[in-house]
Amino acid sequence: MTSHLVIRRVVLLGGTTLLGLHFALASFSQAPATPLKVRHFDKVKGYLNPYFLQNWMLFAPDPLADDRGVLARAQCRDGSVTDYHDVTTPYVRAAQESRFFPSRMSRLVSAPMQSINATDPLLDRLREKHKDDIAKDQKDAKGKVRLMPEEQKAQDNAVRFLSRYSLTQMPDACGGDPRRIQVRMYVRELPPWSKRNAPAKAGKDTVQVQDFDWQKADELR
């Protein structure tokens, strides 16, 4: 009987110690930056990833206030071009129809769309602060400061992913053998929540459309 009590206490003490160590490491990962945290953060992150990673992505500090999505069309071998295919709506509708177990397929489109428009916040502040000092050859045709190579590469990868994904959503396009794929991203501004029930006015919808370069279908497969 005594041995069983000893074993139980050892197990309880060991479990409590491990649990306390886990919460200590999780708290350490969220602590302010210090020399100690910089020195040991990689080891702590290696333990927490991927199942115990601490972040704020569960919350929505900046929720979407627009309707955005992706359309795609294909160019056939004979030069003809198909109509645009709605890549986004079917999966958004599927997620809305299943509130308890929603499909997450729509994230395959929404995440790259955010990457296309995302830039480094620090660089954005620097660009805005020194916009008058930036040379003309560092700006594009619209007068905007050109992206850094890393930012441009991230956007190019996002467009390529959307093109590849769109290709999989159009299996019958051009008889199943398209030559090229083009992606169009649209963003439609929605009215404020306080005016959600107000009747829509003709011509008042603001839709921004961005067409990306054609991608070779053979290179996307």
Side-chain angles (χ1 to χ4, degrees), residues 68-74 83-94 105-110 112-113 161-171 181-186:
R68 57 180 62 189
V70 167
L71 307 174
R73 62 178 178 173
D83 294 332
Y84 278 102
H85 174 78
D86 191 342
V87 179
T88 308
T89 302
Y91 293 107
V92 172
R93 186 179 295 115
M105 291 294 293
S106 60
R107 296 187 181 183
L108 293 177
V109 176
S110 61
M113 289 180 62
F161 177 87
L162 287 175
S163 301
R164 179 180 289 112
Y165 180 73
S166 298
L167 178 62
T168 66
Q169 302 303 299
M170 300 185 297
I181 298 294
Q182 186 184 37
V183 169
R184 165 177 289 183
M185 185 174 70
Y186 65 87

Side-chain angles (χ1 to χ4, degrees), residues 135-151:
K136 292 184 178 180
D137 59 357
Q138 294 179 318
K139 299 179 180 180
D140 59 18
K142 297 181 180 180
K144 294 183 179 181
V145 181
R146 299 185 187 278
L147 299 176
M148 296 294 289
E150 294 79 7
E151 295 175 304

Side-chain angles (χ1 to χ4, degrees), residues 11-72:
V11 172
L12 181 60
L13 180 60
T16 303
T17 302
L18 292 176
L19 189 61
L21 180 60
H22 166 78
F23 282 111
L25 293 175
S27 300
F28 178 80
S29 69
Q30 299 302 302
T34 62
L36 182 64
K37 181 176 180 179
V38 172
R39 181 182 304 175
H40 300 288
F41 183 73
D42 288 340
K43 296 180 181 179
V44 174
K45 184 178 179 181
Y47 162 73
L48 293 175
N49 283 343
Y51 300 109
F52 305 114
L53 181 63
Q54 306 292 309
N55 58 53
W56 294 99
M57 296 180 65
L58 176 64
F59 305 95
D62 188 17
L64 293 177
D66 50 48
D67 175 26
R68 57 180 62 189
V70 167
L71 307 174

